[in-house]
Amino acid sequence: MNPPPQTLTPDAPEVAAPIDADAFFTDLLHARPVMYGPDASIMDGNALAPRTALEDEALASGVDPVDATISQNRLEIILESAKEMLEQTGAAPGAKWGDLTTGLYSAAGDLALASSSGVVVFSACASAPLKHIVKQWADEPTVGVRPGDVYYHNDARYGGVHNADQTLWIPIFVDGVIIGWAGATIHEGENGATEPGGLSASPLSVYDEGLKISPIKIAENYTFRRDVVNLLQNNVRDPLMQLIDMRAKLSACMRIEQQVLELVREKGRDLVVAVLRGALENTEAEVRRRFSELPDGIYRATHFVDTTLLEDRLLKFGLEVEKRHDRIICRSVGTAPMIPDRAINTAPTFARALFMNSLQMFFWADLPRNAGYVAALDFEFEEDSISTAGNEVPNGLGMIGACAWQTAMHQCMSKMAYNRPGDIEIIAPWYGMTQSLYYGGLNQWGAPVANLMIDINSMGGGAHADRDGEHACAPFFASMADYGEIEDRETELPVLTLGRRLTVDNHGPGRHRGGSSVECMYMVWGVPEFFYGCMGTGSKFPTTPGLFGGYGSGANPLTVFKGSSSEAVVAALRDNAADVPYTAHELHRDGGLPGTVESKRCTQSADLNKPGDMWILQVGGGGGYGDVLERDPQDVMRDLRETRISHWRARELYKVVYDEETLLVDEDATTAARTAERDARRARSLPYDEFVAQWRRDEPPVGIDYLGGWSW
């Protein structure tokens, strides 16, 4: 007999604990922020974090100064080695050619030591996002900071230069205590913005600027979370590059951590902690001491940017530097207002970094690159100016405006240092703009590519007080950076480089002339279509002045050639090679290719081009130093032989009389011509007050669209 069927009854459900609705909504609305946005206390300040108990203990432990100096040098070599490793393993053009940095940060987040080459400005603006991690995530129960954790960031509203840069950090622990952080930054470029390449001119809001990574933990136990990496890759146009460079940065940071821990085992934890804190405090103290030796006073400089990115406007950047003993106050004066729907705005952390750039690159490059440098300066920015843009406005191309600050600071420091002859070498301003093409599309191998041409790194150097400036030397923000090989570029990109050369009259003239930069001619080649865009300013109003009588370099417009048809351009290249132009000047003057040619504003949104279309970029040269009439006539002839200047400049500006075929100088005639020019100058001269009265206007000239204060 079968047993009676069991009566099935469901298990009684577990009764959840009653919810305290009032507590829930109180916590939701008041106890926590809706999100952890950029922290004003971090972004608005540039002081070093207060000493920690660990740092106090380390500094009081009696670290031998010689041991500390040797160890600091060893840490700097570790960072330089890691930077070289990153340069060799990274995939982005910025990684390959020097637009990157490695660093060691204090436990509180201040950048204490950085690689001796690479991007300088990171030392003044890369601390902010790490300080955000330390402040918001270290004690957050769902995040925390533990050995093997990996953090990431690119959103410039939390610190850094712009969203095209991505930084990775790992904490360094000793006996369960964090003693510092290892970090690596690469200008990745492509970040999924409205235009390919990561440096779009067209964003009208922060939501058009692509990937925005607030400081975030992306890995534990040194292992990336694949889903998080996939999320980042899903938001950019070159997912392979994103993956390669994240791995490269993690490897570099792990290498730094390994070698720092080796030093700890050899010398002890206190020594490393004392070295990092000492580097910060000693740098700040030394910057103040050096300023104290310079003459007190107020120094001013004014610069203009000639575009908002999408239209022509003159944007004013006024700087006033007040120096009293060891205190330096940098003020923005009459600067253009914030533009809510243009990406030319700048976050204050980056603006401060550009003020500091000239000090580190051109005046006191012997000091460690760290946050102590900028901590020695005070800043007074005008509210709602283009340099204090809020969190709700785009800033992806903020460096175009901020570059004006570094040139203005360079001029003020040059005037200050000139009055104290000594160990500071005075040079004219370097080319002060970030002029470059960006691109995107499928390359000739069918792979997606989008990034920045690296010709930005070919800037001309400023003239020295005792010699000419260097040609195509390096960008003003990154010593030792390279501008790459043509063959490498043509292998990776669907471009044919028709020309790449130093251009005539590109630099600023003077007793010593500035260095020239390059002109690059890129034709679309091997694919049906490809995007080019361009960023920069100075197509109408020059960006780089001269110094002490020297002239600035000229304007640098973009030249765009549109072929009448791809087939016609190919036929012209094949059948009439002798007539193919090799400079923008030749193309404008002589033609030689079937199509139309046009000079444009150098900031252009990405445009689709077909094979045969060509964009010609001119990077600018450095400023000149001293009176042109004091330049040695034989140096003028050398410039002519090397095609650095035109005959017009030799005759009309330098006032040299010579035979144009043999380039032999008529010394007596040259002396007479220069004497006549000096007499003409005296005849044109006015007493200072009369000159000012004649020169000053009550308002901007009619027809000039102008943004900024008009008071001087």
Side-chain angles (χ1 to χ4, degrees):
M1 182 178 178
N2 293 328
Q6 293 181 329
T7 301
L8 300 178
T9 56
D11 295 335
E14 294 184 6
V15 178
I19 296 175
D20 184 340
D22 289 341
F24 174 82
F25 284 110
T26 298
D27 182 66
L28 177 65
L29 298 177
H30 301 293
R32 292 172 180 270
V34 174
M35 67 170 285
Y36 291 87
D39 191 312
S41 67
I42 295 173
M43 297 297 291
D44 293 342
N46 56 294
L48 300 178
R51 278 190 192 179
T52 63
L54 185 67
E55 289 170 336
D56 273 332
E57 179 185 336
L59 290 167
S61 65
V63 170
D64 179 70
V66 175
D67 227 8
T69 301
I70 294 173
S71 297
Q72 178 174 320
N73 291 342
R74 179 167 161 181
L75 290 173
E76 289 172 332
I77 292 170
I78 289 170
L79 293 172
E80 190 64 17
S81 174
K83 194 223 83 173
E84 294 291 330
M85 172 182 168
L86 194 58
E87 201 165 343
Q88 296 299 319
T89 56
K96 294 176 181 176
W97 309 117
D99 198 347
L100 72 172
T101 302
T102 55
L104 268 170
Y105 299 71
S106 69
D110 283 313
L111 179 59
L113 294 172
S115 53
S116 59
S117 56
V119 179
V120 168
V121 293
F122 289 138
S123 61
C125 62
S127 301
L130 182 53
K131 287 184 173 180
H132 183 98
I133 292 170
V134 172
K135 180 176 181 179
Q136 306 295 2
W137 300 151
D139 297 323
E140 162 61 41
T142 65
V143 187
V145 178
R146 290 175 283 275
D149 286 349
V150 181
Y151 298 81
Y152 213 68
H153 162 266
N154 88 320
D155 190 341
R157 296 175 302 162
Y158 291 80
V161 174
H162 51 193
N163 292 9
D165 298 324
Q166 298 183 17
T167 301
L168 182 146
W169 297 274
I170 61 174
I172 301 175
F173 279 84
V174 174
D175 300 329
V177 177
I178 184 171
I179 65 166
W181 299 74
T185 304
I186 292 177
H187 176 94
E188 296 294 348
E190 169 55 27
N191 61 3
T194 54
E195 300 175 32
L199 293 167
S200 305
S202 62
L204 304 180
S205 76
V206 294
Y207 308 105
D208 301 325
E209 295 198 304
L211 190 60
K212 299 191 294 293
I213 313 169
S214 56
I216 184 176
K217 182 193 289 189
I218 57 171
E220 294 178 342
N221 195 27
Y222 306 104
T223 304
F224 287 122
R225 279 186 51 170
R226 197 65 184 87
D227 56 341
V228 177
V229 175
N230 206 73
L231 170 69
L232 303 184
Q233 292 176 287
N234 194 42
N235 282 277
V236 299
R237 295 177 178 83
D238 194 337
L240 178 60
M241 183 191 74
Q242 181 73 32
L243 178 63
I244 291 173
D245 282 356
M246 290 181 71
R247 290 179 173 177
K249 281 177 273 198
L250 178 56
S251 298
C253 287
M254 291 174 66
R255 182 64 174 160
I256 294 170
E257 179 192 35
Q258 176 192 17
Q259 295 187 312
V260 169
L261 293 179
E262 287 175 4
L263 182 61
V264 170
R265 283 192 288 274
E266 290 177 30
K267 302 289 186 179
R269 184 187 71 181
D270 284 347
L271 181 135
V272 173
V273 173
V275 166
L276 295 182
R277 185 67 200 187
L280 288 164
E281 295 184 2
N282 293 339
T283 300
E284 180 180 354
E286 180 61 11
V287 171
R288 291 185 186 279
R289 188 195 68 77
R290 294 186 185 191
F291 267 120
S292 71
E293 294 183 339
L294 299 175
D296 285 353
I298 294 177
Y299 304 82
R300 298 186 179 94
T302 301
H303 283 263
F304 296 93
V305 168
D306 64 9
T307 180
T308 66
L309 303 181
L310 298 183
E311 58 273 294
D312 294 338
R313 293 284 189 280
L314 272 185
L315 313 183
K316 181 182 172 185
F317 290 78
L319 170 63
E320 179 179 279
V321 178
E322 181 175 356
K323 188 264 162 181
R324 304 291 177 199
H325 186 47
D326 66 347
R327 189 175 183 214
I328 297 291
I329 304 174
C330 303
R331 300 188 181 93
S332 63
V333 181
T335 298
M338 174 180 68
I339 309 176
D341 58 354
R342 296 291 184 269
I344 199 170
N345 304 290
T346 302
T349 51
F350 182 43
R352 288 194 290 268
L354 265 296
F355 278 100
M356 181 220 59
N357 183 81
S358 277
L359 303 182
Q360 279 201 346
M361 288 289 287
F362 301 107
F363 294 94
W364 298 320
D366 57 313
L367 297 179
R369 297 176 167 196
N370 63 36
Y373 230 112
V374 74
L377 309 180
D378 294 323
F379 299 89
E380 293 179 2
F381 292 139
E382 297 156 300
E383 292 296 324
D384 298 324
S385 75
I386 202 167
S387 301
T388 53
N391 296 327
E392 299 304 319
V393 300
N395 62 15
L397 284 182
M399 68 280 190
I400 287 179
C403 286
W405 291 130
Q406 90 91 31
T407 305
M409 190 67 179
H410 189 108
Q411 286 179 287
C412 290
M413 276 298 297
S414 297
K415 296 174 186 175
M416 202 183 302
Y418 185 81
N419 288 296
R420 179 193 168 273
D423 51 4
I424 297 178
E425 183 184 11
I426 306 295
I427 66 172
W430 216 260
Y431 180 64
M433 184 41 55
T434 52
Q435 210 99 329
S436 195
L437 295 183
Y438 53 90
Y439 58 82
L442 295 178
N443 69 6
Q444 62 271 44
W445 315 109
V449 291
N451 221 291
L452 174 75
M453 293 284 192
I454 214 69
D455 305 294
I456 189 175
N457 286 353
S458 65
M459 298 175 181
H464 301 248
D466 59 352
R467 64 189 187 279
D468 294 338
E470 296 81 7
H471 300 312
C473 186
F476 67 84
F477 53 82
S479 59
M480 307 301 290
D482 195 348
Y483 65 103
E485 302 294 337
I486 285 298
E487 291 78 9
D488 179 84
R489 203 160 308 175
E490 290 183 338
T491 299
E492 292 187 352
L493 302 177
V495 299
L496 176 65
T497 308
L498 278 193
R500 189 193 210 193
R501 60 176 58 187
L502 298 173
T503 49
V504 177
D505 293 343
N506 176 264
H507 58 262
R511 182 178 70 199
H512 301 292
R513 56 143 181 79
S516 297
S517 188
V518 299
E519 177 181 275
C520 305
M521 308 172 68
Y522 294 111
M523 180 175 283
V524 175
W525 202 257
V527 294
E529 56 189 17
F530 199 62
F531 278 103
Y532 284 149
C534 190
M535 65 172 187
T537 184
S539 56
K540 295 183 178 179
F541 196 99
T543 60
T544 307
L547 188 65
F548 300 147
Y551 292 127
S553 56
N556 302 106
L558 173 74
T559 297
V560 175
F561 169 78
K562 292 289 185 179
S564 56
S565 72
S566 303
E567 294 76 15
V569 174
V570 171
L573 292 173
R574 182 188 61 229
D575 301 332
N576 304 301
D579 297 328
V580 171
Y582 287 97
T583 67
H585 175 69
E586 291 178 7
L587 182 62
H588 281 285
R589 184 191 61 192
D590 306 327
L593 289 173
T596 60
V597 60
E598 185 178 3
S599 290
K600 293 192 171 188
R601 182 187 316 123
C602 42
T603 293
Q604 293 291 319
S605 293
D607 184 30
L608 199 55
N609 297 271
K610 63 181 184 300
D613 292 346
M614 181 166 58
W615 288 39
I616 305 175
L617 172 78
Q618 283 189 354
V619 182
Y625 188 108
D627 190 344
V628 291
L629 298 183
E630 295 177 1
R631 184 162 180 76
D632 188 328
Q634 296 304 326
D635 289 338
V636 177
M637 295 300 103
R638 185 195 63 198
D639 290 339
L640 278 173
R641 284 193 295 273
E642 295 176 352
T643 62
R644 297 285 66 76
I645 62 172
S646 62
H647 285 291
W648 183 93
R649 182 173 284 195
R651 288 192 309 267
E652 304 299 328
L653 196 62
Y654 287 113
K655 299 295 182 184
V656 178
V657 181
Y658 61 98
D659 185 305
E660 290 198 5
E661 290 190 5
T662 64
L663 300 186
L664 292 175
V665 175
D666 185 330
E667 298 286 352
D668 292 338
T670 297
T671 299
R674 289 184 166 184
T675 299
E677 177 59 19
R678 289 189 177 95
D679 291 341
R681 287 179 179 179
R682 281 190 283 270
R684 295 194 299 267
S685 65
L686 294 172
Y688 178 75
D689 290 341
E690 290 183 33
F691 169 76
V692 171
Q694 184 183 86
W695 174 77
R696 181 170 288 180
R697 296 166 180 260
D698 294 331
E699 57 187 16
V702 175
I704 299 293
D705 293 322
Y706 180 87
L707 294 175
W710 187 249
S711 60
W712 301 92

